[in-house]
Amino acid sequence: MLLLAFDTATPVITVAVHDGSRVVGEASGEGAMAHGELLAPAIRDAMAQAGAAMGDLTDVAVGVGPGPFTGLRVGVVTALTLGSTLGLVTHGVCSLDVVAADVQVGGEFLVATDARRKEVYWARYGGDQVRLDGPHVLRPADLAAQHPDLPVFGQGAHLYADVLRSAGGAGAPRAAALAGLVVAGRVAELPLEPLYLRRPDAVPQTVSKRA
């Protein structure tokens, strides 16, 4: 097995190559509007670090969100293209589950990422890192009111630490964690479709015809 995993649901673009036993290559980049420019070089660097060619891959895994429209589209389309052209087994995973995989606590917790518009994408997890509720999108104050006693991990927790009970630690999704989840079969896989949860910020303009 040689699995290529990546996530573009946040400004952090993260890539990992896993051989079924361990991560053998990693790369990352950051840019809120540069996913298209950063993903391909990061894939190339991770594959070079692994000492592998694209033809050696057997699987591809991608974080399907939730996240902003443009970033998710870049990741999902790339995974679909690689799966189709190379005949790879494809895996879609909720990006919040990837963050949760890096959390080590004794009880329930929340994962929150930045949804812009002063909102967060969030989900609730048990101590075994299994998702119990979500993903949803909500204002931080409303999330805090719903779950005042639960620690919150992820970029949304850092961004709204004045409102949410930020526990520090896990931040952006890591492709290495994504790969580990897929290899271990410890995640509920999703279709390779962007998980937006709401309409994109940018929509095509319609021009009305005059009679």
Side-chain angles (χ1 to χ4, degrees):
M1 178 185 197
L2 193 66
L3 166 70
L4 173 66
F6 47 86
D7 189 287
T8 59
T10 73
V12 177
I13 294 86
T14 174
V15 180
V17 180
H18 200 295
D19 67 0
S21 299
R22 62 188 180 91
V23 172
V24 292
E26 287 186 87
S28 63
E30 185 168 355
M33 301 299 291
H35 298 82
E37 292 81 3
L38 295 174
L39 180 57
I43 290 175
R44 182 189 62 232
D45 292 347
M47 292 294 293
Q49 189 180 125
M54 298 300 289
D56 298 327
L57 293 172
T58 61
D59 297 70
V60 60
V62 62
V64 298
F69 180 82
T70 302
L72 286 188
R73 183 174 57 185
V74 168
V76 170
V77 168
T78 300
L80 286 169
T81 301
L82 290 174
S84 176
T85 58
L86 299 177
L88 307 179
V89 179
T90 59
H91 310 268
V93 178
C94 175
S95 298
L96 300 181
D97 292 356
V98 180
V99 178
D102 281 330
V103 175
Q104 300 292 331
V105 294
E108 291 189 9
F109 63 93
L110 304 177
V111 168
T113 59
D114 183 18
R116 301 176 182 174
R117 304 183 191 176
K118 298 182 178 180
E119 293 178 326
V120 293
Y121 297 117
W122 69 277
R124 179 170 60 92
Y125 294 83
D128 54 1
Q129 303 169 325
V130 172
R131 180 158 31 100
L132 304 175
D133 186 26
H136 305 291
V137 60
L138 202 61
R139 294 179 66 86
D142 295 333
L143 177 57
Q146 281 191 21
H147 299 287
D149 300 323
L150 294 184
V152 188
F153 297 85
Q155 292 176 319
H158 299 276
L159 186 61
Y160 297 103
D162 58 327
V163 177
L164 299 174
R165 190 181 160 196
S166 176
R174 291 189 313 113
L178 167 59
L181 286 173
V182 172
V183 170
R186 292 183 49 240
V187 68
E189 295 193 12
L190 300 173
L192 262 64
E193 300 174 355
L195 189 58
Y196 295 130
L197 298 189
R198 67 185 183 200
R199 295 175 62 85
D201 292 328
V203 295
Q205 291 185 344
T206 57
V207 179
S208 59
K209 294 183 178 179
R210 294 184 179 180

